């Protein structure tokens, strides 16, 4: 295997590492020019001798007198001039030799760095290949070892972190059928030899198959833990937390995730379109620097987005919340898209700030939904939304000239006590309903 590494020194020389042999090739530089810049020119030595002797001889001839004393003085002065000329030229020659020596040293440093870089890359490649091979192994214990090997590579080599995150996410996107009655808290019961609490269908399929499915769940839980552990960062630890992998893009489209604990995590962006969230899902304190996409995702159990910060567009269109969904409190800095969302359990938007458009068009809300102390800065759209009359819309703040389309049968009104906030009031009379179907 040959690794080509471009060096910025030595006139654009390329160092080619092939096994233990090294060779230098010029990149866009003529051979004569490269050789002339890296070899000592003996012409300078002969030139120095000629110039020195010529200077001394010329001075002797010019100062040659008539007497013996004059001849002696002329010869002495001639030798001194020749010696001075030779000394000056010798200085230039010494500087030239030093410069060439420095270039040779820098060249050796570049070669050593190239060899070291090649060795490091080969070592990383070998580790990565072995880890990838382990992840595809039929035994769960070997797959677990592969996951932790990938984690070690990403921790030690920052430039490879996004690749490792992509590999782990790809593993979680692989098709997976959870065991019946899946729950992290009952994993130990499901892998027990008795399998007493396994359903009848599961017993008919065989104990060995059930154990394999549950063991695969353990591997997936480990993969989730690796992601969440290295994406988690407290505010005070942003600059000095070596375990935090900053700027990661997370792609979990269509993934099966169980009891995901994404609390205080800070990915660059996240894509969870069509993902399945089983068990309790915790996004409390999460901060999404870019877009956060949860289109058509299904949340089967309680889901928490408390104190979450969506710095990019938050997309929940077509998502289904089968249980409790809490956004108390949370901040949406750009558009929040909840079109056609189904909230089938208790839903709470409390102390929530929408700085972009809040779009709930066509959404379905379960009874007793709460929008309490909510600030709509740009716009609120509930066109064709299905909201039960038992819902609560209290402490609603509207900023500026924001567009407002409220659910059919609801009207925004001020409080009798004159406070700044307003609330939505439900009217059952058809004439009131008709008048409130238009935006303010």
């Amino acid at each position: 295997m040959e690794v080509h590494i471009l060096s910025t020194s030595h006139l654009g020389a390329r160092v080619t590492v092939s096994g233990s042999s090294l060779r230098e090739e010029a990149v866009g530089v003529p051979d004569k020019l490269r050789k002339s810049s890296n070899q000592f020119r003996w012409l300078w030595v002969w030139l120095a001798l000629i110039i020195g002797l010529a200077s001394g001889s010329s001075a002797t001839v010019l100062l040659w007198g008539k007497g013996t004393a004059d001849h002696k003085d002329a010869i002495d002065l001639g030798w001194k001039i020749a010696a001075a000329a030779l000394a000056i030229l010798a200085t230039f020659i010494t500087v030239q030799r030093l410069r060439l020596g420095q270039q040779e040293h820098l060249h050796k440093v570049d070669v050593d760095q190239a060899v070291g870089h090649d060795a490091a890359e080969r070592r990383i490649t070998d580790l990565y290949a072995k880890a990838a091979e382990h992840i595809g192994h039929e035994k769960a214990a070997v797959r677990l070892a592969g996951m932790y090997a990938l984690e070690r590579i990403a921790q030690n080599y920052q430039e490879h972190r996004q690749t490792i995150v992509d590999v782990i996410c790809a593993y979680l996107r692989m098709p997976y059928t959870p065991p019946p009655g899946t729950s992290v808290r009952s994993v130990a019961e499901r892998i027990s030899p008795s399998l007493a609490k396994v359903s009848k269908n599961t017993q008919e399929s065989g104990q060995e198959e059930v154990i394999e499915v549950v063991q695969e769940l353990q591997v997936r839980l480990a993969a989730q833990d690796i992601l969440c552990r290295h994406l988690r960062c407290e505010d005070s630890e942003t600059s000095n937390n070596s375990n935090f992998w900053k700027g990661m893009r997370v792609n979990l489209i269509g993934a099966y995730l169980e009891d995901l604990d994404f609390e205080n995590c800070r990915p660059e962006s996240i894509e969870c379109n069509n993902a399945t969230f089983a068990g309790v899902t915790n996004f409390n304190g999460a901060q999404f620097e870019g877009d956060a996409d949860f289109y058509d995702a299904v949340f089967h159990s309680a889901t928490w987005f408390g104190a979450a910060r969506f710095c990019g567009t938050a997309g929940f269109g077509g998502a289904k919340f089968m249980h409790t969904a809490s956004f108390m409190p949370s901040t949406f800095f750009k558009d929040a898209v909840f079109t056609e969302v189904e909230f089938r359990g208790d839903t709470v938007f409390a102390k929530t700030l929408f700085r972009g458009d809040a779009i709930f068009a066509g959404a379905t809300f379960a009874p007793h939904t709460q929008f309490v102390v909510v600030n709509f800065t740009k716009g609120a759209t509930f066109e064709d939304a299905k909201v039960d009359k038992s819902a609560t819309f209290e402490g609603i703040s509207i900023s500026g000239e924001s567009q407002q389309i409220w659910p059919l049968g609801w009207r925004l009104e001020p409080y009798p006590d004159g406070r700044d906030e307003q609330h939505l009031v439900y009217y059952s009379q058809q004439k009131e309903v008709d008048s409130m179907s238009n935006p303010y």
Side-chain angles (χ1 to χ4, degrees), residues 255-267:
Y256 174 86
L257 308 165
E258 181 163 339
D259 280 2
L260 181 67
D261 185 8
F262 217 74
E263 184 173 5
N264 293 325
C265 289
R266 293 188 178 184

Side-chain angles (χ1 to χ4, degrees), residues 32-33 191 219 400:
K32 292 182 179 179
L33 180 59
I191 63 176
V219 179

Side-chain angles (χ1 to χ4, degrees), residues 145-318:
M147 285 293 175
Y148 291 120
L150 287 177
E151 179 187 18
R152 185 176 62 181
I153 294 173
Q155 185 64 22
N156 294 334
Y157 303 96
Q158 183 175 352
E159 64 275 15
H160 296 281
R161 288 179 179 175
Q162 183 61 61
T163 301
I164 300 303
V165 169
D166 292 341
V167 172
I168 296 175
C169 289
Y171 187 90
L172 292 173
R173 294 197 304 268
M174 296 290 288
Y176 173 70
T177 302
T182 180
S183 172
V184 176
R185 288 170 292 278
S186 61
V187 165
E189 297 176 359
R190 292 201 303 274
I191 63 176
S192 62
S194 62
L195 296 175
K197 297 185 179 181
V198 178
S199 65
K200 181 179 179 180
N201 293 336
T202 304
Q203 291 177 356
E204 292 176 355
S205 65
Q207 174 178 338
E208 183 177 352
E209 180 180 352
V210 175
I211 293 178
E212 289 179 358
V213 173
V214 176
Q215 288 178 341
E216 170 60 14
L217 177 60
Q218 293 284 55
V219 179
R220 301 177 73 88
L221 291 175
Q224 290 181 196
D225 179 67
I226 291 172
L227 282 180
C228 296
R229 178 155 27 93
H230 291 288
L231 295 178
R232 182 172 294 117
C233 185
E234 303 292 345
D235 290 338
S236 59
E237 299 178 351
T238 302
S239 59
N240 56 10
N241 185 1
S242 59
N243 290 324
F244 175 54
W245 298 351
K246 184 178 180 181
M248 296 296 103
R249 300 179 301 276
V250 179
N251 181 358
L252 294 172
I253 296 177
Y256 174 86
L257 308 165
E258 181 163 339
D259 280 2
L260 181 67
D261 185 8
F262 217 74
E263 184 173 5
N264 293 325
C265 289
R266 293 188 178 184
E268 177 65 26
S269 62
I270 188 170
E271 295 179 271
C272 294
N273 304 337
N274 296 292
T276 299
F277 294 86
V280 177
T281 301
N282 180 12
F283 283 96
N284 286 335
Q287 178 169 314
F288 306 97
E289 304 295 340
D291 293 343
D293 294 335
F294 295 88
Y295 292 99
D296 299 313
V298 180
F299 300 85
H300 284 280
S301 191
T303 304
W304 308 96
F305 281 92
R309 295 168 63 88
F310 298 86
C311 300
T313 301
F316 289 87

Side-chain angles (χ1 to χ4, degrees), residues 14 24 51 106 182 209 311 391:
R14 174 186 294 159
E24 182 180 300
I51 292 176
L106 293 176
T182 180
E209 180 180 352
C311 300

Side-chain angles (χ1 to χ4, degrees), residues 63-71:
L63 297 176
W64 194 265
K66 297 180 179 180
T68 304
D70 294 335
H71 298 338

